[in-house]
């Protein structure tokens, strides 16, 4: 009898996920879109100098850092749809595809309406859906449209990311096209993109005449349309929150602050989301995206890249502090910070320590301007490809009087290969993790992006 | 045009006399060809020259500029994936349409004839795309009042025109201003050591039968930010 009991104990122990001791009740997944290693380093220097640290780099004593391979099912260099989908589902799929099986072929939508054929692949479960099925509160927060690839990969399934009308419908509880895997619906959804929720007659782009905001309000959602409206929401007494603060993407952080725009910061949205979600005794899953880091990188505007990266990092700090209050020591809260892919921005030349990272390269010995073979100076941050390749290079001014000067808000860094739009990079990205006991310590080494899903799942004990 | 305006701003600075534009911002209808030329001698002994032309059309509320392609210009190469998700944000070959709105604010749009699309950036994105938002710069190609701070040259000029010059330690700027056109006929900039030289020449042409911004029926509106990602 004793032998049987012992055997049962052993069997039971092995049958449990090996991480059961560190089981996470809550997961906050931070995703810096396009935030490759050079962006992380440049943002660190920009805000905290060479010797400093970003908040994301301080997670768990800096020891829980992994490199993530980001290739997609069909591409050496991924786009945000399959890369975020790999994190959320554990499945590699083709570029443009959102949380579907690997055989799904991307089919360009009609405008913003889906053109996916019925037999074109199958939906695959996301970690957000699994969390919902376990009774947890779930949410997604972003600075892009809430229907953009990254947030969409948490709650929607579609053969092409550009079908944002159809993606919005997947979040509209009980309506045509609703994703029933979301049960009673997302508990928090915040970002931009109200045009995909409103009909064409109401300044939206929906061709089916539906007003999804009204539909969601009828289902009990509190709706906020501005930063001040969000600030007025009592999160403690709100269980369903929809916030759409711009017709399209939210503004770049630099424009939001300088223009005193009535849009919430990513930190504001993150804290409000936690307030709403953390009430659930079963715990929660929250995805937070710094989505416009990627857009500024495509535009080869390093200043906006770094400002948006710092705003993302500040949201991480705010979430860490808030969760420490709610869950001291983060015993039951796993926080993961990563990026979905790299870009072609690089840190260039032998610059002097302490130089402005947005400025021109200063020789580390003499402090004099470093020059190219034609005697012209050049910036520290440059891009492998993009639109700003001049037929003839000229000397640069380290001022901000106009956009031709390298410290101006709208200066575009120079590029190597001239392309219409800067591309993503195919290099590995970094991942930082903390909390939930041993769970965060499993994120180590060089791992595939699909592995992140299984580590999240194990951390939850699913 | 957009590149040109960056040059103009670099020449004249941003702080100059913003009030004048609103007072007299009804330019006459005018059509012209702008020729942009540059020459630079590198430290490796290579002289690099560039030349391109743009059509310029304006009326009281619109300015339209578009690149002119010489015979034999190779076809424009699209990036792989342009027709999937990746989008072309190279607007060199798109028409640039700057129009005054009801609030008298200059609004920028890019018009692609090839795809019959009108691409609209947000106001805060104008500067990143090379437009400083100034109707004065768009319609007259410079801040006219800045000419008053330049030296008048006695250099021969066509009737109704006047040469102006400003010179610093290393760089000079010369403008041949046509008072009747309310437009420069020539802008020259360069280094005093002769190593670099830029010239923009403007020659008047007949007005088109139909203004190009009136030929956009059926064009599809696209937000500039939808071209990112």
């Amino acid at each position: 009898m004793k032998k049987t009991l012992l055997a049962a104990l052993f069997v039971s122990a092995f049958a449990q996920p090996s991480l059961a001791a560190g089981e996470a009740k809550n997961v906050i997944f931070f995703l810096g879109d396009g935030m490759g290693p050079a962006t992380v380093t440049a943002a660190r220097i920009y805000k905290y100098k060479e010797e400093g640290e970003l908040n994301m780099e301080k997670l768990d004593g800096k020891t829980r850092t992994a490199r993530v391979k980001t290739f997609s099912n069909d591409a050496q260099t991924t786009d945000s749809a399959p890369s975020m989908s790999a994190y959320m589902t554990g499945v590699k799929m083709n570029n443009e595809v959102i949380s579907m099986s690997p055989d799904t072929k991307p089919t360009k939508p009609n405008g913003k309406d889906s053109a996916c054929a019925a037999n074109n692949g199958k939906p695959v479960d996301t970690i957000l859906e699994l969390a919902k099925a376990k009774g947890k509160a779930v949410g997604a927060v972003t600075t892009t449209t809430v229907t953009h690839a990254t947030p969409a990969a948490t709650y929607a399934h579609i053969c092409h990311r550009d079908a944002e009308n159809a993606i919005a419908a997947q979040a509209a509880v009980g309506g045509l096209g609703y994703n029933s895997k979301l049960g009673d619906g997302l508990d928090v959804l915040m970002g931009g993109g109200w045009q995909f929720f409103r009909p064409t007659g109401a300044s939206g782009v929906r061709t089916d005449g539906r007003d999804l905001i009204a539909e969601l309000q009828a289902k009990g959602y509190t709706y906020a349309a501005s930063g001040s409206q969000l600030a007025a929401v009592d999160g403690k007494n709100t269980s369903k929150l929809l916030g759409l603060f711009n017709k399209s993407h939210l503004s770049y952080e630099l424009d939001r602050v300088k223009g005193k725009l009535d849009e919430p910061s990513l930190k504001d949205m993150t804290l409000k989301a936690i307030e709403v979600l953390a009430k659930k005794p079963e715990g929660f899953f929250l995805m937070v995206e710094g989505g416009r880091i990627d857009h500024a990188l495509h535009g080869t505007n390093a200043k906006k890249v770094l400002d948006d990266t710092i705003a993302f990092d500040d949201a991480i700090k705010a979430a860490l502090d808030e969760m420490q209050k709610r869950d001291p020591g983060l015993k039951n809260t796993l926080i993961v910070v990563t990026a979905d892919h790299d870009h072609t921005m690089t840190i260039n030349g032998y610059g002097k320590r302490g130089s402005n990272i947005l400025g021109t390269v200063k020789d580390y010995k003499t402090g004099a301007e470093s020059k190219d073979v034609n005697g012209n100076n050049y910036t520290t941050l440059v891009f492998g490809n993009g639109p700003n390749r001049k037929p003839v290079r000229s000397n640069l001014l380290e001022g901000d009087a106009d956009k031709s000067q390298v410290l101006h808000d709208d200066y575009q860094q120079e590029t190597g290969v001239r392309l219409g739009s800067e591309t993503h990079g195919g290099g590995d990205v970094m991942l930082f993790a903390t909390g939930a006991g041993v769970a965060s310590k499993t994120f180590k080494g060089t791992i595939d992006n699909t592995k992140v899903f299984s580590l999240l799942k194990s951390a939850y004990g699913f | 045009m957009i590149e040109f305006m960056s040059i103009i701003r670099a020449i004249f600075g941003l702080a100059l006399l913003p009030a004048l534009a609103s007072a007299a911002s009804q330019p006459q209808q005018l059509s012209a060809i702008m020729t942009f030329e540059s020459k630079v001698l590198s430290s490796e002994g290579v002289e690099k020259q560039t030349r391109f032309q743009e059509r310029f059309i304006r009326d009281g509320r619109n300015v339209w500029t578009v690149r002119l392609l010489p015979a034999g210009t190779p076809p424009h190469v699209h990036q792989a994936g342009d027709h999937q998700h990746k989008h072309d944000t190279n607007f060199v070959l798109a028409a640039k349409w700057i129009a005054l709105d009801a609030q008298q604010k200059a609004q920028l749009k890019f018009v692609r004839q090839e795809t019959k699309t009108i691409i609209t950036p947000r106001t805060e994105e104008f500067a990143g795309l090379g437009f400083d938002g100034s109707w004065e710069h768009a319609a007259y190609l410079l801040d006219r009042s800045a000419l008053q701070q330049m030296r008048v040259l006695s250099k021969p000029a066509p009737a109704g025109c006047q040469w102006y010059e400003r010179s610093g330690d290393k760089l000079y700027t010369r403008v041949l201003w046509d008072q009747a056109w309310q437009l420069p006929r020539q802008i020259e900039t360069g280094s005093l050591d002769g190593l670099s030289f830029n010239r923009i020449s403007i020659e008047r042409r007949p007005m088109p039968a139909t203004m190009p911004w009136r030929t956009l029926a059926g064009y599809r509106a696209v937000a500039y930010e939808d071209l990112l990602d």
Side-chain angles (χ1 to χ4, degrees), chain B residues 2-20:
Chain B
I2 298 289
E3 291 158 6
F4 168 76
M5 287 170 56
S6 296
I7 298 167
I8 294 297
R9 262 181 291 131
I11 295 168
F12 292 98
L14 283 172
L16 292 171
L17 305 165
L20 190 90

Side-chain angles (χ1 to χ4, degrees), chain A residues 79 96 106 108 112 148 160-162 246 248-252 255 292 294-295 298 304 373-375 391-392 401-403 410 412 418-421 423-424, chain B residues 6 9-10 14 38 40 42-44 48 50 79 82-90 92 122 124-125 127-131 223-229:
Chain A
D79 81 284
E96 334 292 347
K108 191 86 176 161
K112 294 293 179 183
H148 213 240
H160 201 290
R161 53 181 288 171
D162 284 357
N246 197 299
S248 182
H249 306 304
L250 301 193
S251 301
Y252 287 117
D255 296 329
R292 302 218 70 198
D294 176 72
H295 292 178
H298 281 299
K304 288 182 178 171
V373 292
N374 289 314
V392 179
D402 66 63
K403 91 174 272 285
D410 297 309
Q412 289 179 300
R418 182 148 183 258
L419 295 182
S421 177
T423 70
H424 295 173
Chain B
S6 296
R9 262 181 291 131
L14 283 172
S38 76
V40 64
S42 81
S43 62
E44 293 172 328
K48 296 176 185 172
T50 64
Q79 268 178 253
D82 268 5
H83 304 291
Q84 281 296 318
H85 184 71
K86 301 296 167 283
H87 306 286
D88 193 351
T89 53
N90 177 1
V92 168
R122 299 185 199 190
E124 60 263 31
E125 289 166 335
L129 294 164
F131 176 48
Y224 166 69
E225 57 211 7
D226 279 353
L227 304 187
L228 300 173
D229 321 312

Side-chain angles (χ1 to χ4, degrees), chain B residues 91-130:
Chain B
F91 297 113
V92 168
L93 297 186
K96 289 90 187 174
W97 177 23
I98 295 169
L100 282 179
D101 66 12
Q103 286 75 44
Q104 304 300 308
K105 289 190 174 150
Q107 300 294 341
L108 167 70
K109 295 177 194 297
F110 296 102
V111 179
R112 282 197 169 123
Q113 192 180 26
E114 178 190 8
T115 53
K116 292 202 178 309
T117 47
I118 301 174
I119 296 134
T120 308
R122 299 185 199 190
T123 309
E124 60 263 31
E125 289 166 335
F126 288 174
L129 294 164

Side-chain angles (χ1 to χ4, degrees), chain A residues 250-325:
Chain A
L250 301 193
S251 301
Y252 287 117
E253 178 67 6
L254 198 150
D255 296 329
R256 189 188 73 82
V257 172
K258 284 197 172 176
K260 297 190 170 100
L261 304 179
D262 193 7
E263 288 179 6
S265 66
L266 189 59
K267 173 183 159 184
D268 297 336
M269 291 191 285
T270 303
L271 289 176
K272 191 66 75 176
I274 291 171
E275 197 177 20
V276 173
L277 299 174
K279 296 193 299 288
K280 194 90 168 174
E282 292 85 352
F284 67 88
F285 173 84
L286 172 63
M287 191 289 296
V288 179
E289 185 199 21
R292 302 218 70 198
I293 300 167
D294 176 72
H295 292 178
L297 284 159
H298 281 299
T300 66
N301 181 312
K303 192 168 188 178
K304 288 182 178 171
V305 169
L306 301 189
D307 267 352
D308 264 55
T309 305
I310 294 300
F312 177 65
D313 193 54
D314 289 346
I316 294 164
K317 171 77 164 61
L320 278 167
D321 292 348
E322 180 60 26
M323 290 312 299
Q324 284 286 7
K325 283 185 224 157

